[in-house]
Amino acid sequence: MVVETNRSPQSTIRRGPMPEFTWAGVLVGWLLGTVITISISYASLILGFSIEGSELAAILGWGILRGLLRRRSIVENNINQTIASAVNGASAGMMFSIPALFILSDKLHQPALVQFPAFSMVLVCITGGIVGLAFIIPLRKQMIDFDRLAYPGGIAVAAILKSPGAGMRKALLLLAGALFSGTTYLLVVRYWGEHPEWHAGQQFDLPSYLNITFFLSVMTVGVGYLSGKGGFWFGAGGFCCYWVLAPLLGQWGDESVRSLVLDPSNSTADRLRVQLFRPVGIGMLIGAAIGGVIVAFPLIRSAFASLHQASRQRGLGSDTDEIPISWLYSAIGLGAVVIGASVYLSLGDVPLYLAAFMTLLGLLWTWVAGVIIAECVGRTNWSPLSGMTLIGVTILILVARHGLNETSTIIASVMLGAAICVAIAQASDMMLDLKSGYLIGAVPRRQQIAQVLGSWCGPILVLFLIYALHQRYTLGSEKLPAPQGQALASMIEGILFQENVPSYRYAAGAGMGAMLALSGLGGIGVLIGLGFYMPFSTVLTYTLGCLARLATDKCFGRSWADDYGIPLAAGCIVGEALVGVGYALVQVAGTML
């Protein structure tokens, strides 16, 4: 029983266990998970990479739980951020895969690709997330308690959870940033349009191939600020294209390339990107992602050693701190049946044996990839998620193409690929959250149940968002380029329709991306590839955020960024994203009336 004693009119002492798994924590987690998932999903379609939502959820959780509800339990806020980040697990998993169907549908003029069964897509993604959790939960004790993997993101979340006062202040700053960016977005759209740009180079009569154009987006500046010094690799790709390669091609390229580069029209930069830099950038994304998986192979031995040790620990007796292992085995078995049946029943022309075989391959790859990524995130805070998804979908397409037509091959492979991607994302997020719980004394079993409770909501939100944004802006357009979806679509196109792909440019980019990944510098190959692919206006604006982070670190110290800069930047992401999505939904609703 909790006993309250009044020490003074201003303070209350509570004795007994702190509230942990409460309805307040669960409901706030779902609420914040919805906000964060919409925001990060929208940003990932623009910038090509996702952002971890646990820190955002912990900061906003203190704002609601402590600021509004006057609750002080750090383990209750931990349940909130666990559920919220579980909802957000679908943002990267689905935004990296499903947009490929919409992109291919427009590019190949095959409307059947976007007529996939939406209910089945949501069902397999929810099921995939639960299966990913069932695969990874047995590794908790080994990787966190015994191997003591760092999980830097989990440490950062634990620091926020341990500082209720600081978390409350950060929540107010985040809300201020959201209000500023949301208002700015509405003003910019009102006066400059839905994809506003400032053509600074044209205004100062600079060569058009330098492409000095800024995308007027506070959200993009905020993402750059959060990335800090490491984000300059993203900018490096764009600067290399327009400030290095373009002048060189204009000087020493063949006649057709020189005429393209030196054309004074405003379309020069766009044509350079579409005809040259974008194919090379997509190739770099694919090569760097696969190279990153190769780099991760040395971690496999450690990961599977953890599996072996974990199985030995389970053999010593039951652990009441964990979800029972029999429940996890049952979840895997039932999940396999649900996923296989969904593919078999929803597409109609998939033979039962092929649906079962593809499901088995998908689950095996989910298990292997989930273990590898849990190890990668624990040791380096870097996740080769896109590479694992590309490899998984490639395997599935190579199997499916021999028994299905092209449309069914693509839909079945992307459907299972989305389930794999969500499963891997949930697995890595689960271990990160369990690390934060370990540091503050939370009960692992309660966090594991909370993660399952959060995993059902994200796929519904994300698929609805995909449909709405595609109807308003078109996925793969300048407004929503969806770089990871473009990379997956290009890989699928290369396998099934080789004659339609400039293979030499993709191959050159893949070679460069693989070399960068194998250089030992982590995931910079993916970032540089994104810089090649993305409009340079976005790259320039993003770089402003990186420069702002360096400036505040130098002038005020790194603690200023932690206390003030990062919450404000996170708010800039949330505010513009929510207003941008809301604006799109209003426009879509207007066309339907």
Side-chain angles (χ1 to χ4, degrees):
M1 176 180 293
V2 176
V3 179
E4 297 187 1
T5 305
N6 289 331
R7 173 181 291 181
S8 69
Q10 291 80 27
S11 65
T12 299
I13 298 177
R14 294 179 179 271
R15 304 188 186 278
M18 290 188 293
E20 185 170 3
F21 204 110
T22 65
W23 275 112
V26 172
L27 294 175
V28 171
W30 280 333
L31 172 65
L32 295 182
T34 299
V35 171
I36 292 169
T37 299
I38 292 173
S39 303
I40 293 179
S41 296
Y42 179 78
S44 69
L45 287 176
I46 295 175
L47 296 171
F49 50 87
S50 187
I51 304 167
E52 171 57 45
S54 295
E55 292 186 50
L56 282 177
I59 292 172
L60 289 172
W62 278 134
I64 295 178
L65 292 172
R66 183 179 176 88
L68 297 179
L69 303 180
R70 304 299 179 186
R71 305 175 75 88
R72 299 169 180 264
S73 171
I74 64 174
V75 287
E76 182 181 46
N77 195 15
N78 185 51
I79 290 295
N80 151 66
Q81 69 85 14
T82 298
I83 291 177
S85 63
V87 176
N88 182 55
S91 63
M94 296 175 72
M95 286 303 187
F96 284 5
S97 52
I98 296 175
L101 293 175
F102 293 83
I103 293 167
L104 286 172
S105 175
D106 289 341
K107 190 173 184 179
L108 303 176
H109 306 290
Q110 294 188 17
L113 289 176
V114 295
Q115 296 169 0
F116 59 84
F119 176 80
S120 296
M121 182 70 79
V122 169
L123 182 61
V124 299
C125 287
I126 293 173
T127 307
I130 294 174
V131 169
L133 296 175
F135 276 136
I136 206 65
I137 283 173
L139 287 176
R140 182 205 67 85
K141 184 174 287 293
Q142 185 62 38
M143 287 188 169
I144 294 177
D145 290 9
F146 299 148
D147 291 349
R148 302 295 176 97
L149 299 186
Y151 288 98
I155 295 174
V157 172
I160 295 171
L161 294 172
K162 291 178 179 179
S163 305
M168 183 63 192
R169 184 181 68 250
K170 291 178 181 179
L172 294 175
L173 289 170
L174 192 151
L175 292 175
L179 180 62
F180 170 74
S181 67
T183 304
T184 302
Y185 178 85
L186 290 176
L187 292 174
V188 168
V189 169
R190 172 68 175 82
Y191 293 104
W192 280 278
E194 293 181 357
H195 189 68
E197 293 181 337
W198 174 39
H199 299 277
Q202 179 183 349
Q203 185 173 345
F204 293 103
D205 294 324
L206 297 173
S208 58
Y209 59 77
L210 292 179
N211 197 13
I212 303 179
T213 302
F214 292 90
F215 175 40
L216 302 181
S217 166
V218 176
M219 179 184 72
T220 305
V221 176
V223 175
Y225 189 91
L226 290 181
S227 301
K229 185 177 180 180
F232 278 112
W233 290 111
F234 178 47
F239 289 117
C240 178
C241 289
Y242 298 98
W243 291 12
V244 178
L245 292 180
L248 291 176
L249 291 172
Q251 184 69 30
W252 288 291
D254 60 38
E255 188 62 31
S256 61
V257 174
R258 290 183 63 198
S259 63
L260 174 62
V261 173
L262 300 177
D263 184 352
S265 68
N266 294 331
S267 63
T268 296
D270 289 337
R271 287 189 290 154
L272 272 173
R273 187 173 72 87
V274 172
Q275 296 178 23
L276 179 60
F277 298 141
R278 187 166 69 179
V280 174
I282 290 175
M284 291 180 71
L285 285 177
I286 296 172
I290 296 174
V293 174
I294 296 173
V295 170
F297 278 171
L299 297 176
I300 295 177
R301 181 176 180 179
S302 174
F304 280 90
S306 294
L307 274 175
H308 177 68
Q309 292 296 329
S311 65
R312 291 180 58 187
Q313 291 294 328
R314 290 197 302 270
L316 296 177
S318 61
D319 189 344
T320 57
D321 284 344
E322 310 283 351
I323 290 179
I325 194 68
S326 60
W327 291 18
L328 301 178
Y329 289 152
S330 299
I332 294 170
L334 182 59
V337 173
V338 170
I339 293 174
S342 297
V343 173
Y344 172 69
L345 296 174
S346 61
L347 295 182
D349 59 346
V350 180
L352 181 59
Y353 77 89
L354 185 59
F357 185 55
M358 291 178 68
T359 300
L360 178 61
L361 285 178
L363 290 177
L364 287 174
W365 184 246
T366 297
W367 178 60
V368 172
V371 171
I372 294 172
I373 285 187
E375 190 83 15
C376 288
V377 172
R379 296 186 183 277
T380 67
N381 208 37
W382 168 67
S383 170
L385 179 63
S386 59
M388 293 296 183
T389 304
L390 286 170
I391 293 174
V393 174
T394 300
I395 294 171
L396 294 169
I397 286 179
L398 293 175
V399 171
R401 66 185 299 190
H402 297 294
L404 300 176
N405 60 47
E406 292 169 350
T407 299
S408 294
T409 294
I410 295 172
I411 293 176
S413 299
V414 172
M415 183 182 291
L416 286 170
I420 292 171
C421 200
V422 172
I424 298 171
Q426 289 286 6
S428 62
D429 180 68
M430 178 80 272
M431 296 303 283
L432 185 150
D433 288 340
L434 287 170
K435 177 69 175 185
S436 63
Y438 172 81
L439 293 173
I440 66 170
V443 178
R445 182 182 68 258
R446 294 173 182 170
Q447 275 193 278
Q448 293 158 10
I449 295 172
Q451 190 86 15
V452 173
L453 288 177
S455 62
W456 67 269
C457 184
I460 300 172
L461 289 170
V462 173
L463 191 60
F464 171 77
L465 195 62
I466 286 173
Y467 275 117
L469 292 176
H470 180 70
Q471 183 172 345
R472 176 58 185 156
Y473 300 121
T474 305
L475 298 180
S477 65
E478 290 293 306
K479 174 67 176 178
L480 295 176
Q484 299 287 3
Q486 288 272 17
L488 181 57
S490 297
M491 187 205 67
I492 293 172
E493 189 180 11
I495 295 174
L496 298 179
F497 314 99
Q498 296 180 1
E499 68 278 3
N500 297 328
V501 177
S503 56
Y504 64 98
R505 290 175 182 165
Y506 288 114
M512 289 189 290
M515 286 190 294
L516 287 169
L518 296 173
S519 66
L521 297 177
I524 67 168
V526 172
L527 291 176
I528 293 177
L530 285 170
F532 268 65
Y533 171 85
M534 294 295 295
F536 193 47
S537 58
T538 301
V539 174
L540 278 177
T541 304
Y542 174 93
T543 304
L544 292 179
C546 298
L547 291 173
R549 176 66 176 273
L550 292 182
T552 58
D553 285 351
K554 183 174 180 60
C555 296
F556 307 114
R558 293 185 178 181
S559 61
W560 190 92
D562 292 336
D563 293 338
Y564 300 99
I566 290 176
L568 284 169
C572 289
I573 297 170
V574 172
E576 182 173 324
L578 290 180
V579 174
V581 171
Y583 180 83
L585 293 177
V586 169
Q587 299 299 312
V588 171
T591 62
M592 297 173 64
L593 295 177

